[in-house]
Amino acid sequence: MNKIENIQWSINEEEKTLCHKIKDYALSKGAKDIRINMNKSVMEQFIFLNAELDKVSHSADRSIILSLFVNGRYGSCSINKLEEKDLEDFVDKAINIISMLEEDNDRKLPKKDRYCKTAINGDELGLCDYNYSKLQYQERIDKALECSIYNELINNKSLNYRLISEEIAYSDSIYDNYIIDSQGLECRHIESSFELSIELTIEDSNANKYTGYAWNASCTWDELSSEGLTQKAIDRAVSQIEQRKITSGKYNMIVENEIASRLVTPLLSALNGSSIQQQNSFLLNSIDKKIFHEAFTLNDRPLDYGKNGARLFDNEGMSYNNSTIIENGIVKKYFINTYISEKLGVEATNEDCPRPMIMPFKAEGYKEKFGLNEILEYCKDGIYVTGFNGGNSNAASGDFSYGVEGFIIKNGKIDKAVRSMVITGNFIELWNNLLAAGDDYKECMSKQIPTLAFKDVSFSI
């Protein structure tokens, strides 16, 4: 028996057989092609308020998603009943409904030569903790309470602040995905996830309240560490006690690695095939053109073993490969699924970017480590952004406006906190003003975006 079959809530052989039966049944009822995605998952969550267990939740989910191609028409539907008779009735109704839709001959299964053939057991990328089902509730509780300092600080009079509340959240999950289609595709992906976070609220002598947080995550239980989380949350909160205001203007902007992906996600959306096909992208007609700063290189690393975001295949079953999305400022790749490739008359790539990574752009004179401290030293003055507070961007033009908070930077050092700032600009201009990209990736994140620095960013209050 495969090791995965020992994990509770994994997809078993009978359920795989059921998927094949439903595939054959749909074909016998008039479907030209079919793709079946079966998903099963379980999640546990424990929330502690002021060192006391406040909430416990357990959720389990299972579903089958059918993508049906019927007489030039297409439809996708899902059901959570896994009995053969229920599924057959569901297929009958789905085919009847899809037959009433307008024809769309661009809806097809992918070319078979693009199929992933290496995702056999589901654990090829080392993302599954085989001991998940053996984990006890008390172990989860003890892990969470490693972060608690409530009882130590609640009556501590020697501090220049008062602890108001402490919230700790622990969660874990395991997810299993099995996909087949009528052209012979058969793939599987299974992964586990463990996450721990703490949020503290403090009050200063003037009754002003400030919040600090910290978190960590891992694919395996043994690698989930609580070390340093509590102190980081305290430092975040305390550092906000003395605040200053800035005058509106253009500043160097340094963006913390935990939130820097907020500036990358709009780029990925603009490279999405649907946006390109609908001409609703500020990166329309940009393939092989230099659009950004020459030092800006963005790769996709879905095959990195044991790393969050790693995956061998997309939702169509097409193989992922490590690839370059933007190279030295030149756009090299759009995310094109089979349907969009037919619409645009271009080759399909993949529908998304599961593990984007910005390559380091080190300032002159920095050859070794190049993290936050080195970037602050290099930029000397500016604003260090540690949080986004709402805002939006225009998909067609690339214009953006975001509320932010953070710290003033003076002589390469973090100074007083600043809040209620708004940054505005355009993403193409922003990324052409790239000053530096660090090498300080937060390993537990699927988006590997380091500390970033930009020049001439417009801040207003």
Side-chain angles (χ1 to χ4, degrees), residues 213 253 255-270 282 356 358 385-394 398-405 423 427 430-431 445 447-450 452 454:
Y213 72 92
M253 178 174 73
V255 186
E256 185 182 28
N257 61 352
E258 289 192 14
I259 63 166
S261 62
R262 183 72 177 266
L263 300 177
V264 176
T265 299
L267 302 185
L268 301 178
S269 297
F282 63 88
I358 288 182
V385 173
T386 58
F388 285 92
N389 301 314
N392 56 73
S393 62
N394 186 307
D399 293 336
F400 65 82
S401 176
Y402 295 121
V404 297
E405 61 184 40
I423 59 170
F427 280 114
L430 178 75
W431 285 97
M445 298 180 71
K447 288 184 172 67
Q448 289 290 280
I449 313 300
L452 301 174
F454 305 87

Side-chain angles (χ1 to χ4, degrees), residues 77-93:
C77 46
S78 64
I79 184 173
N80 58 14
K81 294 182 178 180
L82 300 187
E83 298 297 327
E84 186 172 350
K85 183 63 171 65
D86 292 326
L87 284 165
E88 289 178 351
D89 291 342
F90 184 69
V91 168
D92 290 338
K93 293 175 182 176

Side-chain angles (χ1 to χ4, degrees), residues 10 18-19 101 158 165 168 176 178 241 259 264 272 315 332 351 374 386 396 417 450:
S10 67
L18 177 61
C19 288
L101 300 175
S158 64
S165 67
I168 297 171
D176 197 351
Y178 177 68
I241 290 178
I259 63 166
V264 176
N272 183 271
N315 287 328
K332 307 299 290 186
E351 62 185 1
E374 290 75 25
T386 58

Side-chain angles (χ1 to χ4, degrees), residues 435-448:
L435 282 174
D439 55 13
D440 54 344
Y441 308 102
K442 191 173 176 69
E443 288 295 325
C444 65
M445 298 180 71
S446 60
K447 288 184 172 67
Q448 289 290 280

Side-chain angles (χ1 to χ4, degrees), residues 25 28 46-47 66 71 107 152 185 190 194 216 226 238 245 279 283 306 357 359-360 379 454:
Y25 181 81
S28 74
F46 296 78
I47 296 178
L66 306 179
N71 298 325
R107 290 288 190 180
E152 299 172 37
L185 171 73
I190 185 167
F194 302 84
N216 198 10
S226 62
V238 172
K245 290 185 177 182
Q279 299 190 22
L283 293 178
M357 172 181 281
M359 303 310 294
C379 291
F454 305 87

Side-chain angles (χ1 to χ4, degrees), residues 166-327:
E166 170 196 84
E167 182 176 293
I168 297 171
Y170 166 89
S171 66
D172 59 52
S173 64
I174 194 162
Y175 168 77
D176 197 351
N177 170 231
Y178 177 68
I179 177 173
I180 64 169
D181 74 13
S182 50
Q183 292 187 151
L185 171 73
E186 186 170 16
C187 292
R188 190 176 184 185
H189 174 85
I190 185 167
E191 64 179 75
S192 53
S193 176
F194 302 84
E195 186 165 336
L196 184 60
S197 66
I198 178 169
E199 183 172 300
L200 301 172
T201 300
I202 64 172
E203 183 180 75
D204 66 13
S205 57
N206 296 315
N208 297 310
K209 294 180 175 60
Y210 309 95
T211 298
Y213 72 92
W215 67 279
N216 198 10
S218 175
C219 296
T220 62
W221 166 260
D222 288 341
E223 293 180 356
L224 179 66
S225 174
S226 62
E227 185 177 356
L229 291 185
T230 304
Q231 191 59 52
K232 185 174 183 178
I234 292 173
D235 291 344
R236 282 181 182 270
V238 172
S239 64
Q240 300 173 55
I241 290 178
E242 294 186 41
Q243 295 192 14
R244 290 185 181 176
K245 290 185 177 182
I246 63 167
T247 57
S248 298
K250 292 190 174 183
Y251 295 82
N252 290 333
M253 178 174 73
I254 301 93
V255 186
E256 185 182 28
N257 61 352
E258 289 192 14
I259 63 166
S261 62
R262 183 72 177 266
L263 300 177
V264 176
T265 299
L267 302 185
L268 301 178
S269 297
L271 294 169
N272 183 271
S274 295
S275 299
I276 300 299
Q277 191 265 329
Q278 295 168 17
Q279 299 190 22
N280 187 37
S281 168
F282 63 88
L283 293 178
L284 188 67
N285 300 319
S286 62
I287 289 292
D288 291 330
K289 294 180 181 178
K290 185 179 179 302
I291 305 296
F292 305 107
H293 192 287
E294 62 185 11
F296 178 31
T297 293
L298 176 65
N299 292 334
D300 187 16
R301 303 285 304 181
L303 305 186
D304 286 353
Y305 185 86
K307 302 297 185 181
N308 280 337
R311 196 172 174 93
L312 291 174
F313 58 92
D314 64 16
N315 287 328
E316 294 188 299
M318 293 200 293
S319 290
Y320 279 123
N321 293 292
N322 291 343
S323 62
T324 300
I325 302 166
I326 298 169
E327 184 175 30

